[in-house]
């Protein structure tokens, strides 16, 4: 078996992974970084981010205000010490990207433009028209090319962390082109594998967002934190789930029911012209309530509402949100200059993820770090504010890259080489067996049933019975997964094997979400229970932690860090 060694191993080449790789190289002149990614980096989901990235930029804004907005948005479940670190660094990171060549949109006087985003009390979201993720990722990718010490393994799928005596020293991954499994060894491993929105049927997430890194860390002994909090975005296209960016509301778009009324004005948050600028959890709930009251519009994919941009005019639409026009024309045949766009709530983001500290280190497994959407460092709590995720990737990608280098250079041992290679060989044998596996169950069928169980049990509104049924269904599906059959035993670009492995990861992630949701008997942020409609700080101002065990997940809790801001009723 080929053994490849680097000082730092990164799994993932999206925003968080590339930022970590650059930080590692800047932190030490001779460190070598191996970057394993199942996609070519520029195809990572970060590329599809549209609306922008938040960072304090103007005189009417302050670090204090960005912190307060983030904490309130999180329904007070975010760790306050971490949010302080995040807000202080976010605007510096965006300026750093500017210096690396990111083409931020600008005002006529030359200043970087900022726009409104939901739950942000002032304009604070930097953007590059509405292709922000593309430009940020491109900037990071080009910057990473300066370092020949970053060695890329594009289109390698990581299937197992190599952990011995509680210390992580590598990863087993196979080359998609050849099917060959290789053993990657390093003194520290950073997971930057993104989210897992694909546990749900309607999502803005790319097909590759299957929670792989969450499952890898979970099976290696790290807890998954706050998994029950899944963000629905209120403006996805029915059918495909393609995102129509929140920037469309930030720039002044209106949401309307079938009577043409701006229904959000009637709900208890966001008043007057700012009605559409409420946070995502609240607007998604309002849409569902409109549907239930019979005020939605009906289409082939169920109920929807209208996103009306007509009053903005063609010039503003083309200047500020051209991609929205392009998407609406191409995917629903509607030109938003003349007609409103049909939209509905779609799964967008996972607030939860791999438990880490403020430097990305995972408690319990030494030498393992995580950053970006795969991680839960805890700035998003129960509901993320739009445009906080891209800067999160930058801030905590950088911190974990630096922390991993510091750890690796403080005499972290190479680890028991033979034992680690042995683990990779065992993984090779497992994948070989999988390629020839005979069984009665089909991957697509299990995935479909998983999607529908999650939508029915853990959607925008939740209840004890439907969540309990969801937990049961996921458990049964896990049992059936053991009996899947694989029809394609070839090695070269075997997409069936990839799908089988991804489905295994989806099942782990879905189970953690459902178990966490069932046990949280309160409503907070994106977790809304009809049977427990109130927030209950006395019992649940705590992070949930789901741990892997052979006979089913274990759940416990940890207190939220409160520093200066006492939890208050969340009103807009
Ligand atoms: C459509 C859309 C629009 C968005 N818009 C915004 C926005 O405007 N502002 C904002 O702040 N946030 C936005 N978000 C959220 C934000 O873009 C993401 O949370 C963020 O980009 C995630 O970055 P990441 O680096 O953590 O992961 P990703 O960019 O998803 O990258 C994951 C990487 O991990 C690799 N990987 C995964 N599994 C494996 C494996 N098993 N083996 C090897 N490699 C693996 C992949 O190849 C990839 O390189 C948006 C999200 C979506 C879906």
């Amino acid at each position: 078996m080929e053994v490849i060694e680097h000082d730092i191993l990164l799994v993932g080449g999206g925003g968080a992974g590339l930022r970590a790789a650059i930080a590692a190289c800047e932190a030490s002149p001779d460190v070598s970084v191996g970057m394993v990614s199942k996609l070519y980096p520029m195809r990572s989901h970060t590329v599809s981010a549209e609306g922008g990235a938040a960072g304090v930029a103007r005189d009417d804004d302050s670090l204090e205000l960005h912190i307060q907005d983030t904490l309130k948005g999180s329904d007070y479940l975010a760790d306050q010490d971490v949010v302080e670190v995040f807000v202080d660094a976010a605007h510096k990171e965006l300026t750093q990207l500017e210096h690396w060549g990111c083409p931020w949109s600008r005002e006529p006087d030359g200043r970087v433009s900022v726009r409104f985003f939901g739950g942000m009390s002032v304009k604070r979201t930097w953007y590059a028209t509405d292709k922000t993720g593309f430009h940020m990722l491109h900037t990071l990718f080009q910057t990473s090319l300066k370092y020949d010490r970053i060695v890329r393994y594009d289109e390698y799928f990581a299937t197992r962390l190599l952990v011995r005596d509680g210390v992580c020293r590598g990863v087993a991954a196979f080359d998609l082109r050849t099917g060959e499994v290789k053993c990657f060894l390093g003194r520290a491993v950073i997971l930057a594998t993104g989210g897992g929105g694909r546990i749900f049927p309607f999502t803005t997430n790319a097909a590759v967002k299957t929670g792989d890194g969450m499952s890898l860390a979970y099976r290696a002994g790290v807890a998954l934190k706050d998994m029950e909090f899944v963000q629905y975005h209120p403006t996805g296209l029915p059918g495909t789930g393609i995102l129509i960016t929140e920037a469309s509301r930030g720039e002044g778009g209106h949401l309307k029911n079938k009577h043409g009324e701006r229904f959000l004005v009637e709900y208890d948050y966001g008043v007057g012209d700012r009605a559409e600028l409420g946070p995502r959890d609240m607007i998604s709930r309002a849409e569902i309530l409109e549907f239930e009251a019979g005020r939605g519009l009906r289409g082939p994919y169920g109920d929807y509402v209208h996103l009306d941009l007509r009053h903005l005019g063609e010039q503003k639409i083309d200047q500020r949100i051209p991609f929205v026009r392009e998407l609406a024309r191409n995917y629903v045949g509607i030109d938003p200059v003349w007609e409103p766009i049909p939209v509905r709530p779609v799964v967008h983001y996972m607030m939860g993820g791999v438990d880490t500290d403020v430097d990305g280190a995972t408690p319990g497994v030494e030498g393992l770090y995580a950053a970006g959407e795969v991680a839960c460092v805890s700035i998003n709590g129960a509901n993320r504010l739009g445009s906080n995720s891209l800067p999160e990737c930058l801030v905590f990608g950088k911190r974990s890259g630096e922390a991993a280098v510091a750890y690796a250079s403080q005499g972290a041992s190479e680890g028991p080489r033979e034992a680690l290679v042995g683990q990779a060989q065992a993984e090779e044998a497992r994948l070989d067996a999988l390629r020839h596996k005979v069984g009665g169950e089909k991957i697509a069928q299990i995935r479909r049933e998983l999607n529908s169980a999650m939508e029915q049990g853990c959607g925008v509104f939740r209840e004890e019975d439907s969540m309990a049924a969801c937990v049961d269904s996921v458990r049964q599906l896990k049992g059936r997964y053991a009996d899947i059959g694989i029809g394609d035993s070839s090695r070269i670009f075997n997409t069936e094997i990839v799908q089988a492995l991804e489905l295994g990861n989806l099942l782990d992630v879905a189970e953690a979400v459902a178990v966490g949701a069932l046990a949280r008997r309160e409503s907070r942020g994106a977790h809304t229970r009809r049977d427990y409609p109130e927030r209950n700080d006395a019992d649940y101002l705590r992070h949930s932690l789901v741990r892997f065990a052979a006979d089913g997940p274990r759940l416990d809790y940890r207190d939220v860090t409160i520093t200066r801001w006492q939890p208050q009723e969340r009103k807009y």
Side-chain angles (χ1 to χ4, degrees):
M1 165 173 283
E2 188 179 349
V3 179
I4 297 167
E5 292 186 58
H6 291 282
D7 300 310
I8 308 292
L9 281 179
L10 254 159
V11 188
L18 287 167
R19 185 66 190 90
I22 296 166
C25 288
E26 286 187 332
S28 162
D30 48 16
V31 77
S32 86
V33 178
M35 199 162 90
V36 175
S37 177
K38 73 175 174 180
L39 303 170
Y40 185 75
M42 277 304 295
R43 301 189 65 211
S44 305
H45 189 72
T46 300
V47 80
S48 60
E50 299 168 22
V56 173
R58 289 281 196 276
D59 291 344
D60 64 348
D61 199 2
S62 66
L63 299 180
E64 174 76 21
L65 210 51
H66 190 184
I67 293 169
Q68 283 176 15
D69 287 347
T70 302
L71 293 176
K72 183 169 155 188
S74 82
D75 223 342
Y76 298 94
L77 196 74
D79 283 332
Q80 299 190 353
D81 51 344
V82 182
V83 172
E84 285 190 66
V85 167
F86 164 67
V87 166
D88 183 52
H91 64 109
K92 296 175 189 157
E93 279 296 306
L94 300 181
T95 306
Q96 175 65 72
L97 278 205
E98 158 94 5
H99 294 167
W100 284 336
C102 186
W104 299 117
S105 292
R106 309 192 92 88
E107 299 299 310
D109 66 6
R111 288 179 306 164
V112 167
S113 299
V114 280
R115 60 166 49 125
F116 275 122
F117 245 65
M120 302 279 191
S121 46
V122 295
K123 289 184 180 176
R124 124 174 356 121
T125 299
W126 304 36
Y127 57 94
T129 66
D130 53 358
K131 292 189 176 166
T132 309
F134 168 82
H135 289 295
M136 288 178 64
L137 194 63
H138 208 250
T139 303
L140 289 166
F141 185 55
Q142 293 194 111
T143 305
S144 79
L145 297 178
K146 282 200 310 199
Y147 297 99
D148 54 11
R149 291 179 284 137
I150 300 175
V151 182
R152 294 209 324 270
Y153 301 91
D154 294 339
E155 304 192 327
Y156 275 70
F157 192 109
T159 61
R160 179 170 179 183
L161 294 174
L162 308 179
V163 180
R164 177 93 181 168
D165 298 331
V167 183
C168 183
R169 284 287 182 265
V171 45
F174 69 97
D175 183 347
L176 292 168
R177 271 157 290 205
T178 62
E180 187 185 350
V181 179
K182 297 186 182 169
C183 174
F184 291 86
L185 297 181
R187 289 166 193 263
V189 176
I190 305 173
L191 291 172
T193 49
R198 282 277 156 176
I199 56 175
F200 287 89
F202 284 105
T203 172
T204 64
N205 283 195
V208 289
K209 294 197 71 172
T210 48
D212 300 357
M214 294 179 188
S215 172
L216 286 176
Y218 179 59
R219 297 222 163 212
V222 186
L224 296 179
K225 182 161 73 190
D226 293 339
M227 291 297 283
E228 58 270 38
F229 300 101
V230 176
Q231 176 161 81
Y232 273 79
H233 195 298
T235 60
L237 294 180
T240 58
I242 288 173
L243 177 73
I244 299 298
T245 173
E246 187 162 316
S248 54
R249 281 174 286 127
E251 295 294 349
H254 293 155
L255 284 171
K256 294 180 174 170
N257 61 21
K258 77 170 181 196
H259 303 303
E261 298 156 346
R262 285 177 66 196
F263 57 92
L264 290 167
V265 174
E266 300 301 318
Y267 291 79
D268 218 9
Y269 40 83
V271 281
D273 278 351
R274 291 182 58 90
E276 275 83 6
L277 291 174
R280 292 174 178 173
D281 55 340
M282 293 182 165
I283 297 186
S284 294
R285 286 197 285 275
E287 287 182 0
I288 301 285
L289 293 173
E290 287 296 295
F291 298 161
E292 288 175 356
R295 292 191 291 269
L297 296 107
R298 289 237 108 193
Y301 300 103
D303 291 327
Y304 64 90
V305 291
H306 272 146
L307 173 63
D308 195 348
L309 305 177
R310 290 173 294 184
H311 55 288
L312 302 182
E314 186 166 10
Q315 200 189 355
K316 186 167 181 184
I317 290 174
D318 282 347
Q319 203 181 16
R320 300 286 182 85
I321 40 176
F323 194 40
V324 167
R325 191 175 187 188
E326 201 179 312
L327 289 171
R329 275 173 157 169
N330 289 344
Y331 290 95
V332 281
I334 277 175
D335 185 342
V337 172
W338 311 112
E339 279 177 276
I341 310 172
V343 292
R344 57 163 276 175
V346 290
V347 165
H348 185 55
Y349 181 87
M350 306 198 64
M351 270 68 78
V354 176
D355 182 24
T356 74
D357 72 10
V358 69
D359 291 317
T362 60
V365 178
E366 202 186 304
L368 180 64
Y369 296 77
E373 194 172 340
V374 67
C376 180
V377 63
S378 195
I379 64 159
N380 300 309
N383 172 66
R384 169 176 78 93
L385 291 188
S387 75
N388 262 353
S389 169
L390 290 170
E392 174 181 359
C393 290
L394 299 173
V395 171
F396 296 102
K398 175 173 190 264
R399 288 181 74 92
S400 57
E402 288 170 351
V405 168
Y407 169 77
S409 60
Q410 274 165 14
S413 77
E414 280 177 4
R417 204 188 148 89
E418 268 169 40
L420 296 170
V421 176
Q423 287 183 12
Q425 281 165 341
E427 192 59 8
E428 181 177 38
R430 179 177 81 97
L431 295 181
D432 264 344
L434 185 62
R435 276 192 293 113
H436 296 97
K437 194 167 174 329
V438 181
E441 293 287 350
K442 291 217 175 336
I443 297 170
Q445 182 61 25
I446 294 183
R447 199 175 48 212
R448 240 192 321 269
E449 289 185 36
L450 174 69
N451 281 171
S452 97
M454 292 308 287
E455 190 177 44
Q456 282 164 28
C458 296
V460 173
F461 286 101
R462 302 169 170 186
E463 268 167 313
E464 186 85 10
D465 291 351
S466 52
M467 279 186 294
C470 176
V471 170
D472 274 352
S473 306
V474 177
R475 247 168 230 164
Q476 281 174 25
L477 290 170
K478 281 192 123 172
R480 285 170 52 193
Y481 175 72
D483 187 36
I484 53 166
I486 301 285
D488 180 1
S489 61
S490 67
R491 287 178 165 272
I492 296 166
F493 276 115
N494 186 333
T495 51
E496 200 179 356
I497 288 292
V498 170
Q499 302 234 340
L501 293 166
E502 288 179 341
L503 178 58
N505 297 333
L506 287 170
L507 286 163
D508 278 349
V509 173
E511 188 170 33
V513 170
V515 165
L518 180 62
R520 186 175 282 276
R521 293 196 163 131
E522 64 157 354
S523 290
R524 182 186 298 272
H527 175 68
T528 312
R529 295 189 56 149
R530 291 193 198 266
D531 42 1
Y532 295 94
E534 302 298 326
R535 194 176 83 193
N536 173 355
D537 285 347
D539 296 320
Y540 291 106
L541 185 55
R542 297 187 296 169
H543 299 295
S544 66
L545 297 165
V546 180
R547 285 175 214 282
F548 177 80
D551 57 346
R554 301 271 187 279
L555 180 67
D556 63 292
Y557 292 90
R558 182 194 298 148
D559 284 346
V560 173
T561 306
I562 309 278
T563 56
R564 287 195 282 134
W565 298 272
Q566 283 312 308
Q568 291 169 7
E569 190 191 351
R570 185 164 165 247
K571 284 194 104 160
Y572 286 89

